[in-house]
Amino acid sequence: MVAVPDTGVSPHPDLTGNLLSGINIVDGGRSNGHGDQNSHGTGMAGLIAAHGQDNNQGARGIAPKSKILPILIAGTNNQSSPDDLGKAIDYAISSGASVISISSAGGSSPALREAIKSGLAANVLIVAAAGNRPADNHVGYPASAEGVIAVGGIDRDGNRAAISVTGPEIDVVAPAVDIYSTSLNGKYRKGTGTSDATAIVAGAAALIRSKYPYLPAREVAHRLTATAIDKGPPGRDDEYGYGVIDLVAALTADVPPLGFESASAPVGAGPTTWAGGERGDDDGAATARGLATLGVILAAGVGWAVVARRRRRSDDPPPRISR
């Protein structure tokens, strides 16, 4: 389950069956988060979990079998408060979300900082947007928080998107320019910003958590950074972090763990399941799913250039989450 604290999520044919009943923080929890007067939240949900329609029509997200928990914290102006975001995170934790996708950046508050700590302590993977120029000139909160995956953006040529802020907190980057997704009234939108890149990374995290359900959140983050395609100066840098996410590698590569945690299921734990509960997917299916997803990203108009993987220098520090 991926929680999306945003402007709410409008029901859409491409999200049928994947949209859970959530909450509207703004109205005190009196509705289920399915209203969206802005389209931003609906677009983020589509990038994560849209499954398209019959005859190959519609949009297809990164993790089309995942479930979306909509949490409405902003209205038509897409503005919210740190405290409301903190409430949204607490709700996501209590609802059992394994990933929280936060496509916003701004200031913090004691309540929000505590909610972030609670989420990380509860083994929830938190992915957040770095921020957009010119309104932002540094990595905003909660992306700047330790333990949160901070996402920047690349353009159609595979270079840092002009809109994407930079900073030492950046962990990974993903497509952020001219991204097509779901919108209001069954229609579609085209967006540009680190919001879209964040939803793409959150979808990737959902796939990893589905394939490796016993992998701790910090190891899922490690998979994303360790398998990213290096850009800029060798190793980590303030524009690209550890590089462009590589979904196929993140799902299939042999990545040494950060610690002693194991991705193996405990004895008697039962079979592994993909998001949505389907059983029996193997590594081959995971690879095919990843390749199909990359094709969708390209078809959606991102078209970023293929970048040759550069070897990391032996003296580079090991991949890590935000410092």
Side-chain angles (χ1 to χ4, degrees):
M1 181 198 305
V2 181
V4 179
D6 211 292
T7 61
V9 178
S10 178
H12 192 285
D14 295 353
L15 289 167
T16 300
N18 286 356
L19 184 59
L20 302 175
S21 179
I23 192 171
N24 184 330
I25 299 292
V26 176
D27 74 0
R30 292 189 295 273
S31 55
N32 61 6
H34 284 194
D36 183 0
Q37 299 179 354
N38 178 280
S39 85
H40 190 271
T42 304
M44 300 308 104
L47 287 172
I48 297 167
H51 51 61
Q53 302 172 44
D54 294 338
N55 302 318
N56 294 320
Q57 299 296 308
R60 188 173 178 87
I62 301 296
K65 292 186 178 180
S66 60
K67 303 298 183 183
I68 295 293
L69 181 68
I71 307 176
L72 196 158
I73 60 170
T76 55
N77 62 359
N78 200 15
Q79 298 293 314
S80 183
S81 72
D83 283 355
D84 280 351
L85 178 55
K87 292 176 184 177
I89 292 170
D90 288 337
Y91 177 80
I93 297 168
S94 65
S95 299
S98 63
V99 178
I100 302 177
S101 180
I102 303 173
S103 287
S104 62
S108 67
S109 70
L112 177 54
R113 291 193 294 271
E114 285 303 312
I116 292 292
K117 291 178 182 178
S118 296
L120 298 175
N123 195 35
V124 177
L125 194 74
I126 303 176
V127 186
N132 298 330
R133 297 180 186 274
D136 304 312
N137 56 23
H138 63 276
V139 176
Y141 199 87
S144 60
E146 183 177 358
V148 173
I149 301 177
V151 182
I154 56 172
D155 62 21
R156 296 167 65 96
D157 295 320
N159 300 315
R160 182 185 66 83
I163 198 172
S164 180
V165 300
T166 62
E169 302 90 351
I170 298 290
D171 292 306
V172 292
V173 293
V177 175
D178 295 341
I179 309 298
Y180 289 87
S181 187
T182 47
S183 186
L184 308 181
N185 302 316
K187 297 180 181 180
Y188 300 91
R189 69 189 288 274
K190 181 172 73 171
T192 291
T194 57
S195 288
D196 301 81
T198 298
I200 290 171
V201 173
L207 283 184
I208 296 170
R209 299 219 82 168
S210 298
K211 184 178 182 183
Y212 304 105
Y214 303 100
L215 198 66
R218 64 192 296 267
E219 295 287 351
V220 175
H222 177 56
R223 269 193 166 266
L224 286 167
T225 58
T227 59
I229 300 172
D230 202 359
K231 284 278 292 180
R236 203 218 148 269
D237 64 81
D238 289 357
E239 287 195 330
Y240 301 98
Y242 289 102
V244 183
I245 62 162
D246 183 335
L247 181 52
V248 175
L251 287 169
T252 62
D254 184 9
V255 179
L258 284 170
F260 296 102
E261 297 91 346
S262 173
S264 301
V267 176
T272 295
T273 60
W274 281 84
E278 286 201 1
R279 303 175 185 271
D281 284 349
D282 56 17
D283 284 356
T287 302
R289 191 185 304 271
L291 289 171
T293 299
L294 292 178
V296 169
I297 292 175
L298 292 171
V302 178
W304 38 277
V306 175
V307 182
R309 183 181 300 279
R310 181 185 299 134
R311 290 184 180 273
R312 299 184 190 276
R313 300 181 303 187
S314 60
D315 60 346
D316 281 343
R320 64 186 186 285
I321 309 176
S322 301
R323 60 185 182 186

